[in-house]
Amino acid sequence: MVVARTKKEVQNALAIYRSHNHQIGFVPTMGALHRGHLSLVERALGENVITVVSIFINPTQFDNPLDLEKYPENLEKDAALLKALSPDILIFAPSPLEIYDGNVMANSYDFGSLEKEMEGAYRKGHFNGVATVVELLFKAVSPNTAYFGEKDFQQLQIIRKLTRQLALPITIIGCPIERESNGLARSSRNERLSKPTREHSGFILTTLLTAKEKFGTENAHYIRNWVVSEFSNHPLFQLEYFEIVEEETLLPYKEKKENIKYRAFIAVYAERIRLIDNIALN
Ligand code: AMP
């Protein structure tokens, strides 16, 4: 299992593939890998000659220092999980100073309506941090195709836009959300939930599914109020936001338009751990 620590090492390891015009797939992660990450890696393995998985906890995308401090880290375990999928995966695990060229700071981007709502509104600076590291990683790896999860759907749309803005020749693929058996979207943060809370967390998807049913007949205001009331008396979960937006622009849904896809997004706190999820409505 090759673990590249520097940009030079990753570029050297990929040179042979590039010289043969072989497809290079890329899956950026922050490690603590679970089935959600591995589903992206499996897709990349199936569509490329060589797959690069980056494992890098990006300090500039954390708006909450405690969240960064508590972020789980275990490169050996991650490498073993990847090796079980394919011994040929190239892991790229740079230090912050290496990937940021000595200056660990986020750039400032303008993603228009894509960054106004939801994570953009509640996590100040988050998408500048994400876009900065993805730009640096894309430039280091220069893949043909990169894979991102719909779990972070707003991030996926922002990365599509970033790739267009920078005119990078990289195809961005969105992959479906992997869930635990009760419906909770898989996340590295789920490990920090107590067992009973984790078991009850299927409530988040159940609420989204009922909201989807209501979307057929009710307006946005009604559905939002219903979701707020579902959470208001819940002993385990505190709702941060529930939004219905247009899938392409991420602008709030006001009235249904023809040929527009809508999606509902939710962020919830459980035991002070922040959980996010989303669902296509039509
Ligand atoms: P992270 O390590 O949290 O930055 O995630 C790395 C990539 O894995 C991102 O593109 C995420 O959207 C994706 N991902 C995380 N959790 C899931 C999941 N449950 N299902 C599908 N993709 C996921």
Side-chain angles (χ1 to χ4, degrees):
M1 200 87 199
V2 179
V3 181
R5 293 290 192 171
T6 65
K7 290 179 255 191
K8 191 123 204 80
E9 279 170 21
V10 88
Q11 279 152 11
N12 287 344
L14 291 174
I16 182 85
Y17 297 95
R18 244 186 273 288
S19 69
H20 288 92
N21 246 333
H22 283 160
Q23 292 293 306
I24 299 170
F26 180 38
V27 182
T29 81
M30 296 206 295
L33 302 181
H34 51 66
R35 287 281 335 140
H37 300 109
L38 299 182
S39 68
L40 273 54
V41 178
E42 279 167 350
R43 172 109 189 242
L45 285 169
E47 296 178 355
N48 298 278
V49 176
I50 176 80
T51 294
V52 183
V53 177
S54 64
I55 295 180
F56 176 67
I57 302 173
N58 176 32
T60 68
Q61 73 185 66
F62 285 82
D63 53 326
N64 174 355
L66 200 65
D67 199 20
L68 171 61
E69 205 181 293
K70 289 204 168 162
Y71 208 86
E73 193 175 2
N74 192 338
L75 184 60
E76 249 174 58
K77 188 172 168 211
D78 290 343
L81 286 169
L82 294 172
K83 194 172 177 188
L85 290 186
S86 161
D88 299 330
I89 291 168
L90 173 60
I91 297 177
F92 181 33
S95 68
L97 289 176
E98 167 65 18
I99 197 71
Y100 278 89
D101 278 327
N103 184 21
V104 187
M105 292 257 296
N107 301 328
S108 196
Y109 298 83
D110 182 0
F111 298 115
S113 63
L114 295 183
E115 63 186 343
K116 299 276 183 284
E117 308 291 331
M118 305 165 315
E119 298 301 283
Y122 285 87
R123 298 185 70 187
K124 286 290 167 220
H126 172 67
F127 286 125
N128 279 334
V130 170
T132 305
V133 81
V134 170
E135 178 175 350
L136 291 167
L137 288 167
F138 277 0
K139 287 180 172 162
V141 176
S142 298
N144 300 96
T145 311
Y147 299 81
F148 292 86
E150 289 185 349
K151 159 89 181 351
D152 302 284
F153 194 89
Q154 191 172 15
Q155 167 178 285
L156 168 64
Q157 295 296 52
I158 282 180
I159 286 161
R160 287 193 165 118
K161 186 153 186 174
L162 173 77
T163 310
R164 284 197 302 274
Q165 283 175 345
L166 298 172
L168 297 173
I170 302 172
T171 305
I172 307 298
I173 307 275
C175 303
I177 302 174
E178 284 284 321
R179 297 180 179 282
E180 300 189 1
S181 56
N182 65 357
L184 174 64
R186 289 193 187 275
S187 163
S188 314
R189 293 189 173 91
N190 297 356
E191 304 298 327
R192 287 163 51 200
L193 295 171
S194 67
K195 198 160 176 267
T197 300
R198 191 161 174 171
E199 279 169 12
H200 280 97
S201 295
F203 178 73
I204 299 168
L205 179 64
T206 311
T207 308
L208 286 178
L209 286 167
T210 310
K212 178 176 179 155
E213 252 172 55
K214 293 184 186 295
F215 184 73
T217 50
E218 308 292 349
N219 65 34
H221 186 67
Y222 177 94
I223 299 171
R224 159 99 58 76
N225 284 346
W226 176 79
V227 171
V228 170
S229 75
E230 283 296 283
F231 278 92
S232 62
N233 295 317
H234 201 290
L236 296 178
F237 305 111
Q238 296 81 47
L239 182 68
E240 183 174 57
Y241 66 72
F242 170 84
E243 300 289 346
I244 297 178
V245 300
E246 296 182 8
E247 205 168 281
E248 284 311 311
T249 61
L250 301 183
L251 284 168
Y253 154 67
K254 298 237 164 57
E255 56 195 36
K256 246 175 246 173
K257 299 180 203 155
E258 286 278 313
N259 302 321
I260 294 287
K261 283 197 195 154
Y262 296 95
R263 205 168 256 268
F265 293 77
I266 196 164
V268 168
Y269 278 93
E271 296 168 341
R272 294 210 247 152
I273 296 156
R274 194 166 180 277
L275 305 170
I276 59 168
D277 203 343
N278 67 86
I279 191 172
L281 296 176
N282 60 339

